[in-house]
Amino acid sequence: MQKPGSQVMVTLRQMIGSGELTAGERLVETAIAERLGVSRMPVRTAFRELESEGLLVRAGVRGYMVRHFSYNDIVDAVEVRGVLEGLAVRQLGERGLDQGTKKQLRGCLVEGDRLLAKGHLDEGDAEAYHSMNVCFHETIVAASGNAAVATALTRNDHLPFASVKAMTINTSEMEREFRRLSYAHMQHHAIVDALEAGQAARAEALMREHAAAVIRYTDLLQSADPAPKT
Amino acid sequence: MQKPGSQVMVTLRQMIGSGELTAGERLVETAIAERLGVSRMPVRTAFRELESEGLLVRAGVRGYMVRHFSYNDIVDAVEVRGVLEGLAVRQLGERGLDQGTKKQLRGCLVEGDRLLAKGHLDEGDAEAYHSMNVCFHETIVAASGNAAVATALTRNDHLPFASVKAMTINTSEMEREFRRLSYAHMQHHAIVDALEAGQAARAEALMREHAAAVIRYTDLLQSADPAPKT
DNA sequence: CCCATCCAAATTGGATCCAATATTTTGAAT
DNA sequence: ATTCAAAATATTGGATCCAATTTGGATGGG
């Protein structure tokens, strides 16, 4: 608890994510403050922060409400992530890979190969793949050296389901998930191949396709709402 | 003054933009509050908001400081704007232009043609071109219907010199500026042509080049700082 | 019966106060 | 003289109080 005020933030995030605060619901500072057992002040700052992250929107002239996410919002955000990570990987390819980055990326590849080598997914494998995946994407963005991409991605990733970190694995259909991750990991291989060959434009195209694949070949409908976006 | 608290925000923006608050300077809440004649509270909220916009960064564990912008930061941000607006124009091209958007864009084109027809730039022409340019870009982003692009652009555009709105025209070299704007306007024409022909990928490539041209063919050195970015 | 105006209640923004924490300075000891 | 520790000061986060503004209802007039 290095930052006491951030506790309110994570609690509100959870309440929004879990649906305890439903979309469109009017949020009153005093009510939330009382509910969380704190003063109105941290709630006030948290509301503004969550607004800047896009999770809350102003409810008219007074108060905030939980933002309503449509399916299109998620698709759009993933598309944005695709072009941003595509830019990052292209610039990385243009500048060339340094030894540390190359080592890191290859480490991600062998880790993924190891997880998928069995031909099926076990329980802990999903989490391990997820960690590897986050590491792969973060390494590329960091190595690109483009700070604007990093900040834009951070902002964009505040939207639920748009982030690499938010990639969920459907444990009830492990076979299908195995095929999906196998395809995704082949794309990882192709991206690293392109990077090592200095094919920056190809790496960019692959990364954009890689992001789009998440949407096209994942069941988002379970949690997404097809209502019109706000 | 519909929102009293926003006055502190605009004042701080001005102070940062004008260099009254120099980059790297440690900002103390009490000092700023006293200087602006308000309580610490609006300053506190403004600091956080400016941090989320990227103009301020945390100075260690305590306090904020004015962010230091390097030349690379600006180039990166413009590159980000390029891929985001490129995505917007591609999606617009894929969905097809509606009548209102087509009318709006053509209006921008004829306005630009009119301004450039004389073969040189007059005093008021620069402002008029600027307004037309902002309208052109905003129309495309709005018409794309991709809310994530719009928000990402808004965030990115908080960085000085990265925004379309921040495009300045060097009044001391009107002849050179005329050639630059002529080229930019030709790109506008090409983008609209591609959109009307349904050539979405071509429109995207043109838009990315259009953003990059701003950097390559503009004198930014006068205001940019070549020191390493933070 | 409907509309307008006014009053009251609620809610949010700003100010001030208090506590917690980090940083700096000073003094002492080695 | 230098370094370490302790104390004092400075700064930020949280709580509470006050003011301003809006919203809702109620009442009176047309």
Side-chain angles (χ1 to χ4, degrees):
Chain A
M1 52 181 74
Q2 52 282 52
K3 284 180 68 185
S6 61
Q7 187 56 40
V8 176
M9 283 290 292
V10 303
T11 308
L12 283 177
R13 265 185 227 280
Q14 285 176 352
M15 290 168 78
I16 294 172
S18 70
E20 189 174 342
L21 298 175
T22 65
E25 182 178 354
R26 169 85 175 282
L27 298 184
V28 176
E29 288 181 1
T30 53
I32 300 293
E34 189 179 356
R35 213 156 138 186
L36 300 186
V38 294
S39 146
R40 269 181 53 218
M41 189 63 55
V43 176
R44 233 156 96 178
T45 61
F47 277 8
R48 303 216 150 142
E49 203 162 338
L50 291 170
E51 184 205 9
S52 90
E53 289 183 1
L55 266 71
L56 297 184
V57 292
R58 299 202 103 90
V61 68
R62 184 170 285 192
Y64 292 89
M65 46 190 277
V66 179
R67 175 170 166 190
H68 185 263
F69 289 105
S70 69
Y71 178 74
N72 276 334
D73 287 331
I74 300 169
V75 173
D76 287 350
V78 169
E79 204 93 38
V80 165
R81 183 161 66 77
V83 298
L84 290 173
E85 291 192 343
L87 171 60
V89 83
R90 171 166 65 84
Q91 291 189 323
L92 178 58
E94 287 165 354
R95 290 170 199 172
L97 285 172
D98 61 299
Q99 281 306 315
T101 304
K102 191 181 289 192
K103 197 165 194 165
Q104 192 104 18
L105 292 179
R106 284 190 174 160
C108 290
L109 291 183
V110 298
E111 167 74 358
D113 290 342
R114 187 183 66 78
L115 290 170
L116 298 168
K118 292 193 300 262
H120 62 92
L121 278 181
D122 289 341
E123 184 55 39
D125 295 345
E127 288 173 45
Y129 186 89
H130 181 256
S131 305
M132 181 278 294
N133 190 44
V134 171
C135 174
F136 183 84
H137 287 262
E138 284 182 348
T139 299
I140 286 174
V141 172
S144 81
N146 188 322
V149 165
T151 64
L153 271 176
T154 305
R155 301 280 158 69
N156 191 65
D157 284 0
H158 284 133
L159 304 189
F161 308 107
S163 163
V164 171
K165 298 195 189 69
M167 191 195 73
T168 58
I169 293 175
N170 188 344
T171 51
S172 66
E173 284 197 81
M174 277 305 201
E175 197 170 335
R176 183 175 163 186
E177 291 300 82
F178 175 79
R179 291 201 304 274
R180 187 167 69 90
L181 297 190
S182 297
Y183 180 46
H185 193 57
M186 275 309 295
Q187 291 177 318
H188 286 185
H189 271 282
I191 287 166
V192 175
D193 283 345
L195 281 175
E196 292 184 342
Q199 300 165 340
R202 177 178 163 230
E204 177 174 19
L206 282 166
M207 184 62 94
R208 290 169 74 156
E209 176 63 21
H210 182 56
V214 170
I215 276 292
R216 276 202 281 274
Y217 308 124
T218 305
D219 286 333
L220 276 171
L221 285 313
Q222 52 185 354
S223 43
D225 193 325
K229 55 188 164 184
T230 52
Chain B
M1 51 180 69
Q2 52 282 55
K3 284 179 68 184
S6 60
Q7 187 56 39
V8 176
M9 282 289 293
V10 303
T11 307
L12 282 177
R13 265 186 227 278
Q14 285 175 353
M15 290 169 79
I16 294 172
S18 70
E20 188 174 343
L21 299 175
T22 65
E25 180 178 354
R26 168 83 174 283
L27 296 184
V28 177
E29 288 181 1
T30 54
I32 300 294
E34 189 178 358
R35 212 155 139 187
L36 300 187
V38 293
S39 147
R40 270 180 52 220
M41 188 63 56
V43 177
R44 233 155 95 178
T45 61
F47 277 8
R48 303 217 151 139
E49 204 163 339
L50 290 170
E51 184 207 9
S52 90
E53 288 183 3
L55 268 70
L56 297 184
V57 292
R58 299 202 101 91
V61 68
R62 184 169 283 193
Y64 292 90
M65 47 189 278
V66 178
R67 175 168 167 191
H68 185 262
F69 289 104
S70 70
Y71 179 74
N72 277 334
D73 286 331
I74 299 170
V75 173
D76 286 350
V78 170
E79 204 89 41
V80 165
R81 184 161 64 77
V83 298
L84 290 174
E85 290 192 342
L87 171 60
V89 82
R90 172 167 64 83
Q91 291 190 323
L92 179 57
E94 287 166 353
R95 289 170 198 171
L97 286 173
D98 61 298
Q99 281 305 316
T101 305
K102 190 182 289 190
K103 196 164 194 167
Q104 191 105 18
L105 293 178
R106 284 194 173 155
C108 291
L109 292 183
V110 298
E111 168 74 359
D113 290 342
R114 187 184 66 78
L115 290 169
L116 298 169
K118 292 194 300 263
H120 61 92
L121 277 181
D122 290 340
E123 186 54 41
D125 294 346
E127 288 174 44
Y129 186 89
H130 181 254
S131 305
M132 181 278 294
N133 190 43
V134 170
C135 174
F136 183 83
H137 286 262
E138 283 182 348
T139 298
I140 286 173
V141 172
S144 81
N146 189 324
V149 165
T151 64
L153 272 175
T154 305
R155 300 281 159 68
N156 191 65
D157 285 359
H158 284 132
L159 305 188
F161 308 106
S163 163
V164 170
K165 299 196 188 70
M167 190 194 73
T168 57
I169 292 174
N170 187 346
T171 51
S172 66
E173 285 197 80
M174 277 303 201
E175 197 170 337
R176 185 173 163 187
E177 291 300 80
F178 175 79
R179 290 200 303 274
R180 188 167 70 89
L181 296 190
S182 297
Y183 181 47
H185 194 58
M186 276 308 295
Q187 292 178 319
H188 285 183
H189 271 281
I191 288 167
V192 175
D193 283 345
L195 280 176
E196 291 184 342
Q199 300 165 340
R202 177 177 163 229
E204 177 174 19
L206 283 166
M207 183 62 94
R208 290 169 73 155
E209 176 63 21
H210 182 55
V214 170
I215 276 294
R216 277 202 281 273
Y217 308 122
T218 306
D219 287 331
L220 276 170
L221 285 312
Q222 53 184 353
S223 44
D225 192 326
K229 55 189 163 183
T230 50

